[in-house]
Structures are given as C-alpha cells and as structure tokens.
Amino acid sequence: MIASATAVGTSADLALGASPASAQGGATPLPASSAGTAYTGDVIDGKRVVTALDVNDLEPGRKHLLYFRGVATPAGQHWHVSVTVARGARPGKRVILVSGVHGDEMSSVHAVQTVMNQLDPAAMSGTVMAVTDVSRPALESMQRRWPSSGRGIDLIDMNREWPGNENGLTAASRHAGLLFNRLLRPNADYAIDFHTGTTGFQVTAFNIGEMGVPAVREMLELYPVGQVYDNPVYTGVLHNALMEAGIPSFTPEIGAARVLDPEMIALFVEGTMNVLKHHGILAGPMGRTAKDVRVYIGNSAFPILATAGGLVEFLVKLNERVEVGQKVAIQRNSFGEVVAEYASGVAGEITGLRSDAMSEPGNPLAFILFNRPEPKEPAVYPE
C-alpha cells in the first residue's frame, strides 16, 4: 500500500499533491534502450538469463520465460527476477504487469500470474510482459522492505526508489535502475504496478491513479472495484516514475499482505483482462467494469493514528461510509479499561483498517478516503 500524510494530533489527512508528470500532454518520454536483448549465456532451470530485453526480439505467437539479472547480492552473485512475456502473433500495444515491489504482497503476485495463465499468444495482438518478483530479497522472507547489509541491516522500501540509479548508493537503488532502464520502460506502452496493503493492515479493493489523465482514467474505469484514490501520491513510486517517462500507469491495491484473497484477486484479474481488450491485445466481450459497481472516488485519505497502547476494537468495516465525528474505534489496556477512543475527522469511506489487534502510539489504525477541496503538497506519515 502506498500513501502519505502529515500527522496532526491523533489524525491527519493524506495530502493530494501535483502530479510529477502527466502521461498525456506534457511528459517527454525518455529514450528507450537501443541495445536490444542481451543474453548472459546462463540458463537457470531451463530459462535463459538476460541483462536487457526488447520484447520485439522474441518469437511471436508464444510465451517466453526468462530471468532478468539484477543487482549483485552480498555474496557476489545476482538477484534474478522472473519475467514472463506473452508475445502476440500480430503487432500491437505493449502492456507490462508488475508485482513483488514489496515482498509481503502475495495477492498482487497471484493476480498477475492468473492473468498471464489466461493468455494465448497465438490469438493476441501486441505483447504482455509480467514481472512477478521485483524485490527478490524482500520476497525471500516475505517482508515489505529490501534488506540492505551495507551498514548493519537497513530496510529499504523499494517503492520509494524509482526510477532508480544504476550507480546509486544502495543495492535497491541500483536494482531499480537496472530494471527500469533495461526491462520495464523500454517494453511498455502502458503499465500496471500491483500492490496490497502492508503487513498488519487490511485494505479494500481500490486503485490509485490520476483520473485527470485520460489514458489512466480509461483503464481505471475498466475495473469492477469499489474505490478509486484519485491521487498521484509522491515521487519514488514505480507508477509515477513510469508516468514521468510518458507511460500511462496506475496501482491496484488488493486487500491484505501475506495472504491470498481469491475474491479480490478475481476482481482485479477481470479488470486487467478488460484493459487488455481495451488496448486491442485481446478480443472478446468486456467483463464487469466500474459501471457495474458502486464506486467511491476520493482524492485524499485521512489517517487515524493511535495515541495509546493496547487492544483495538473497530466499530466500522471496510468500505463503510462515515461522517465527521463518528466514532470508529476504541482501545483497551490490559485491564480492559478504555484508554482511547478514535473518531473520523472527515466524511468519507473506510479504505484501510489495522489488522493487528494490538497497537502502540503512532501506529495508523484506519484510513478514510475522502475529497479535499484544496489539496496540499504530500508528506510522509509513519507506517
């Protein structure tokens, strides 16, 4: 889950900032890599290894399973990222599907895998490329952040590193730079970066994207999910780096971390298949879209932060409408005494609730999606 806010007392609102770029009518696309596909000569489990990829070099009408060689590990080997390319039999648009930027977000990985397993390249026009394990060292231990061993163990949020720097100060930054420059950007006309809530936090099914960018809005409206966070969030996240490069992009959020949520996954698979049909990659009728469900669109999120320690009892559910001053949670100490009560400071819809039953002061307990008439610059909030 990606968000930002400025804490004021127990609560704050997630600020809406100006887009770092518009993928239509303003952004100047960066030049794509002209190096083409570069094979290392290595083969891992029958899959060839590349250090750069141009999907146009791959045989049309079939799927290709590859490994992309990322940054070196502390042991001097390399983190290898799984790449699946469904190259259509006919020319067409190129869409990339990304997951695993955070290592604890399993439903996002499964959603991308499910879409790819449904594709028949012989019947396709264009190309769909999937990368399902971007932050390999984080995925190894199913944790959100990349563990960097430069000075002790630092935990780096890779979704604050994009577009990365191949000569950056951390392995995570260099890994992001390699992937962005040599794998993702050169092969994308459109991009979707899949996420879930973070560990300890449950979220609704929602999409993050800029409704003011026509190419993004068209894709967002093809998903049968109940909430849209109409906000570019902040610099450093992957979909903003892609937008900066002139590639219309957005981020789906698929429930809780560390688990598979089949019902939510199905909604995002259906929406993604709609996107591929919209861009002419697949034929066939559309599935359900935003027109078939009640969609709440907000441009900001209001976080409620714990002021005490203890067990948290919520009085609201995900997707529930709340009003200003409505009590949303109470907190009890070890004696069962109520030590804090929490109310909404805005009118909106519940988009996230802490799933860990206990909380210490400063932890986010809830997020409420709402509309701010005059958005401010975004700022960081404690995760």
Side-chain angles (χ1 to χ4, degrees):
M1 181 179 180
I2 44 183
S4 65
T6 304
V8 180
T10 62
S11 302
D13 53 271
L14 192 92
L16 170 65
S19 168
S22 171
Q24 260 187 212
T28 301
L30 299 174
S33 171
S34 59
T37 301
Y39 292 95
T40 67
D42 297 327
V43 176
I44 301 175
D45 294 332
K47 300 168 182 65
R48 300 177 72 183
V49 179
V50 298
T51 55
L53 180 65
D54 181 345
V55 295
N56 294 317
D57 294 336
L58 302 177
E59 180 185 348
R62 57 173 294 228
K63 285 184 182 177
H64 303 264
L65 306 181
L66 304 165
Y67 278 113
F68 178 87
R69 191 177 75 182
V71 75
T73 72
Q77 300 177 20
H78 289 271
W79 293 112
H80 289 91
V81 175
S82 306
V83 181
T84 303
V85 180
R87 176 91 196 277
R90 296 169 297 280
K93 298 294 185 181
R94 303 167 304 162
V95 174
I96 61 171
L97 311 177
V98 182
S99 63
V101 172
H102 289 136
D104 58 352
E105 299 183 351
M106 300 298 105
S107 286
S108 62
V109 174
H110 193 274
V112 173
Q113 291 174 338
T114 303
V115 169
M116 298 305 293
N117 286 339
Q118 293 183 13
L119 301 183
D120 176 8
M124 287 171 45
S125 299
T127 300
V128 182
M129 182 178 78
V131 182
T132 49
D133 50 6
V134 169
S135 188
R136 284 299 304 273
L139 278 156
E140 297 290 339
S141 54
M142 204 184 293
Q143 65 178 356
R144 178 180 173 86
R145 296 176 177 85
W146 177 296
S148 173
S149 58
R151 294 170 296 277
I153 291 294
D154 294 330
L155 296 175
I156 299 174
D157 189 333
M158 197 169 178
N159 213 29
R160 307 295 183 267
E161 297 291 325
W162 304 97
N165 182 342
E166 293 187 25
N167 298 303
L169 296 178
T170 68
S173 176
R174 293 185 180 214
H175 189 71
L178 290 169
L179 267 68
F180 193 81
N181 295 332
R182 306 182 185 210
L183 179 66
L184 302 178
R185 177 171 52 85
N187 294 299
D189 296 313
Y190 303 91
I192 309 173
D193 179 30
F194 293 78
H195 286 260
T196 77
T198 191
T199 292
F201 218 80
Q202 168 75 314
V203 302
T204 62
F206 71 101
N207 283 312
I208 300 173
E210 296 179 68
M211 296 290 280
V213 179
V216 175
R217 184 186 187 111
E218 289 172 356
M219 293 188 286
L220 293 174
E221 291 178 341
L222 294 173
Y223 282 78
V225 300
Q227 291 181 349
V228 173
Y229 181 19
D230 178 16
N231 191 310
V233 293
Y234 39 79
T235 57
V237 301
L238 177 55
H239 87 251
N240 274 344
L242 290 160
M243 292 282 286
E244 192 75 41
I247 300 166
S249 309
F250 64 96
T251 293
E253 297 276 357
I254 314 175
R258 301 180 69 88
V259 298
L260 296 182
D261 188 324
E263 292 184 3
M264 279 200 191
I265 289 169
L267 298 177
F268 287 94
V269 169
E270 187 171 7
T272 303
M273 297 298 281
N274 287 340
V275 168
L276 299 182
K277 293 170 185 175
H278 170 74
H279 289 307
I281 294 173
L282 301 179
M286 289 283 184
R288 294 172 298 165
T289 69
K291 293 180 179 179
D292 300 304
V293 299
R294 181 188 64 81
V295 180
Y296 181 85
I297 301 173
N299 65 15
S300 297
F302 185 90
I304 295 177
L305 308 181
T307 58
L311 291 169
V312 180
E313 176 186 347
F314 287 107
L315 308 177
V316 293
K317 296 180 180 179
L318 292 175
N319 292 105
E320 185 174 329
R321 292 283 182 99
V322 295
E323 301 299 328
V324 176
Q326 180 177 338
K327 191 184 300 183
V328 300
I330 60 175
Q331 192 172 26
R332 301 179 188 274
N333 65 15
S334 296
F335 294 98
E337 300 168 319
V338 174
V339 294
E341 296 184 342
Y342 302 96
S344 175
V346 297
E349 262 192 24
I350 300 293
T351 195
L353 295 172
R354 184 176 177 83
S355 55
D356 285 350
M358 297 182 70
S359 176
E360 63 184 6
N363 288 150
L365 301 180
F367 282 92
I368 301 165
L369 188 63
F370 77 108
N371 278 289
R372 172 196 294 282
E374 296 182 3
K376 302 182 302 186
E377 288 296 319
V380 176
Y381 80 102
E383 296 184 12

